[in-house]
């Protein structure tokens, strides 16, 4: 029952266009083993943004978008440090990203956002079909958060134990020959850190990449 402010409107438009671009670019990017999971994430995100806008649940939708964007800032800084061959700074920023990601998506998101949408929103608005669709999609998003948090924790453990962000267990490419699996891609000649939303090593919003580190080269 709150009016849609112009700032929220433009914020929604920018976020929706961004996630639409990720969903389409995934088909022309390097295909990874988690292609289906990433595609599911993009579908759920685009549906949630559109659905919350149509039902005027933009206040809670904005909070969810801000939680997701918070970790991206540190992530992109870690990637830039990696491309500049500042390995120690890249590792430090990656560990910072891991903390921000886990706190925001395994802490604030379920304890604050989901608690509001599952219980408080029901008490305020009553039961209606759209509310169930909204909550089911939010729970699917939380399941994906748990999966990616597991991968990030593994990478963070390697960074602490080995002194660098080691190669991720997820494949860099699903190549059709052994030669393609052993030759690094020209776009990622150095070690890459976690990404948050795309399936490509140079993406802007995926999770973990799998290129080998510069020292291994």
């Amino acid at each position: 029952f709150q009016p849609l402010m112009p700032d929220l409107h433009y914020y929604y438009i920018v976020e929706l266009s961004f996630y639409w671009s990720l969903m389409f670019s995934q088909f022309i990017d390097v295909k990874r083993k988690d292609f289906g999971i990433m595609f599911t994430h993009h579908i759920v995100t685009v549906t949630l943004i559109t659905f919350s806008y149509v039902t005027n649940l933009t206040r809670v939708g904005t909070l969810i978008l801000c939680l997701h964007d918070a970790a991206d800032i540190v992530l992109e800084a870690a990637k830039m440090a990696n491309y500049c061959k500042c390995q120690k700074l890249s590792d430090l920023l990656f560990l910072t990203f891991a903390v921000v990601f886990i706190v925001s998506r395994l802490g604030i998101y379920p304890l604050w956002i989901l608690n509001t949408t599952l219980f408080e929103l029901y008490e305020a608005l009553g039961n209606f079909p759209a509310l169930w669709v909204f909550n089911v999609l939010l729970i699917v998003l939380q399941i994906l958060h748990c999966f990616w948090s597991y991968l990030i924790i593994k990478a963070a453990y390697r960074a602490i134990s080995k002194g660098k962000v080691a190669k991720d267990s997820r494949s860099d490419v699903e190549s059709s020959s052994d030669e393609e699996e052993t030759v690094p891609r020209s776009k990622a000649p150095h070690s890459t850190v976690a990404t948050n939303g795309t399936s490509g090593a140079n993406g802007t919003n995926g999770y973990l990449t799998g290129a080998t580190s510069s020292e291994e080269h």
Side-chain angles (χ1 to χ4, degrees), residues 53-188:
Y53 186 90
V54 171
T55 57
N56 200 35
L57 296 174
T58 54
R59 187 63 63 91
V60 65
T62 303
L63 293 176
I64 297 172
L65 291 173
C66 288
L67 280 179
H68 283 71
D69 292 340
D72 291 350
I73 299 174
V74 186
L75 170 66
E76 300 305 323
K79 289 167 62 179
M80 288 189 291
N82 178 73
Y83 299 151
C84 294
K85 301 180 181 180
C86 300
Q87 187 63 42
K88 292 183 178 179
L89 177 61
S90 177
D91 291 345
L92 177 62
L93 289 172
F94 170 74
L95 295 177
T96 304
F97 158 75
V99 173
V100 174
F101 185 94
I102 293 173
V103 170
S104 62
R105 306 197 187 189
L106 295 187
I108 299 177
Y109 179 80
L111 298 179
W112 184 18
I113 302 298
L114 288 184
N115 179 65
T116 297
T117 59
L118 289 173
F119 304 106
E120 297 178 2
L121 193 61
Y122 177 81
E123 296 177 358
L125 302 180
N127 187 20
F128 58 101
L131 182 62
W132 289 97
V133 176
F134 190 64
N135 282 322
V136 167
L137 293 176
L138 291 178
I139 292 174
V140 171
L141 201 59
Q142 178 61 20
I143 295 174
L144 297 177
H145 291 166
C146 294
F147 171 75
W148 279 311
S149 295
Y150 167 73
L151 298 180
I152 291 174
I153 291 174
K154 287 179 62 177
Y157 175 77
R158 295 192 193 99
I160 296 175
S161 61
K162 298 182 180 181
K164 63 180 180 180
V165 179
K167 182 177 180 181
D168 179 32
S169 57
R170 203 184 74 170
S171 68
D172 188 32
V173 289
E174 288 190 354
S175 58
S176 58
S177 64
D178 294 334
E179 180 181 359
E180 292 177 351
E181 295 178 355
T182 57
V183 178
R185 295 186 297 121
S186 59
K187 291 184 179 180

Side-chain angles (χ1 to χ4, degrees), residues 194-207:
T195 60
N196 187 22
T198 62
S199 60
N202 293 329
T204 57
N205 197 31
Y207 284 85

Side-chain angles (χ1 to χ4, degrees), residues 17-92:
S17 61
F18 173 68
Y19 281 104
W20 267 114
S21 67
L22 291 182
M23 186 166 60
F24 286 119
S25 63
Q26 189 177 13
F27 291 96
I28 60 176
D29 206 343
V30 177
K31 188 175 182 180
R32 301 180 182 278
K33 289 183 178 180
D34 68 340
F35 176 87
I37 297 177
M38 290 305 308
F39 186 71
T40 301
H41 172 268
H42 299 332
I43 290 291
V44 171
T45 303
V46 169
T47 304
L48 278 172
I49 293 176
T50 306
F51 191 82
S52 61
Y53 186 90
V54 171
T55 57
N56 200 35
L57 296 174
T58 54
R59 187 63 63 91
V60 65
T62 303
L63 293 176
I64 297 172
L65 291 173
C66 288
L67 280 179
H68 283 71
D69 292 340
D72 291 350
I73 299 174
V74 186
L75 170 66
E76 300 305 323
K79 289 167 62 179
M80 288 189 291
N82 178 73
Y83 299 151
C84 294
K85 301 180 181 180
C86 300
Q87 187 63 42
K88 292 183 178 179
L89 177 61
S90 177
D91 291 345
L92 177 62

